[in-house]
Amino acid sequence: MFVLMMYGAMIAAPLWAVAVVVKLVSVVLPGRRPDWARDLLLWSAGMTAAAAVIAYTIGLGSVQWDASEAESGAGSSPAAPCRSLPPATLDGLTGHEPSYFPLGFDCLLDGGRVVAADGPYSLLNFLTVAFALAAVVSLLAVGALDEYRARAETKAGRAADPRGAPWSMGQP
């Protein structure tokens, strides 16, 4: 299941990149709307959240692929990600353990030791967290921008209408 989702994410990744480039070009070109900054922040939050989902989905598929390869067929032992261990360590290999959160693939050794296997898992974990944090920061920036604009409009409204000021006591 995750492997199929990984293929979809691998197809979505270049489409995501094209969408980002098109949006960046549209921001650079003249003729933007006055509220383009807020829209860009909202769009960026959505796209970075999508990037986090894509990166994590690719990682899920990679972990499941490696686990499936290690459990069936000739030449499945030791698991492909564990084959890069030094020969002395490889002799003590007793099994493997896939991890879906966080992404990883561990090689189990004699005596209960666990060694992290080679693979793109740490990079995909980092990308997932980085994109998710960027999405949250973008949403917080939208909120801060909205708050700033609301306060500026309130302040401009008071300055333009002196009767609304508390010290005028309603007198013209």
Side-chain angles (χ1 to χ4, degrees):
M1 170 86 169
F2 292 142
V3 174
L4 293 175
M5 290 171 47
M6 175 184 72
Y7 288 135
M10 292 175 88
I11 291 170
L15 298 175
W16 177 90
V18 168
V20 168
V21 169
V22 167
K23 185 66 169 186
L24 290 176
V25 169
S26 74
V27 167
V28 173
L29 295 176
R32 293 184 302 266
R33 296 187 333 230
D35 61 345
W36 69 273
R38 183 180 189 283
D39 287 343
L40 181 64
L41 280 173
L42 277 174
W43 185 86
S44 297
M47 290 305 281
T48 53
V53 170
I54 288 170
Y56 190 71
T57 304
I58 290 172
L60 284 174
S62 296
V63 170
Q64 188 179 29
W65 180 277
D66 288 338
S68 177
E69 286 290 313
E71 294 170 2
S72 62
S76 62
S77 183
C82 298
R83 290 181 186 157
S84 62
L85 295 174
T89 307
L90 197 55
D91 290 339
L93 189 65
T94 60
H96 62 274
E97 177 95 15
S99 172
Y100 295 100
F101 188 81
L103 298 171
F105 197 90
D106 295 330
C107 303
L108 306 175
L109 304 175
D110 292 340
R113 285 189 8 198
V114 177
V115 177
D118 281 345
Y121 312 115
S122 58
L123 174 64
L124 290 170
N125 282 327
F126 172 76
L127 288 174
T128 300
V129 170
F131 283 132
L133 284 176
V136 169
V137 168
S138 296
L139 286 176
L140 290 174
V142 168
L145 182 63
D146 288 346
E147 180 71 20
Y148 174 76
R149 285 183 178 173
R151 288 180 186 226
E153 287 175 7
T154 303
K155 188 182 282 187
R158 280 192 210 150
D161 184 16
R163 289 184 290 163
W167 58 84
S168 67
M169 303 287 186
Q171 302 295 325

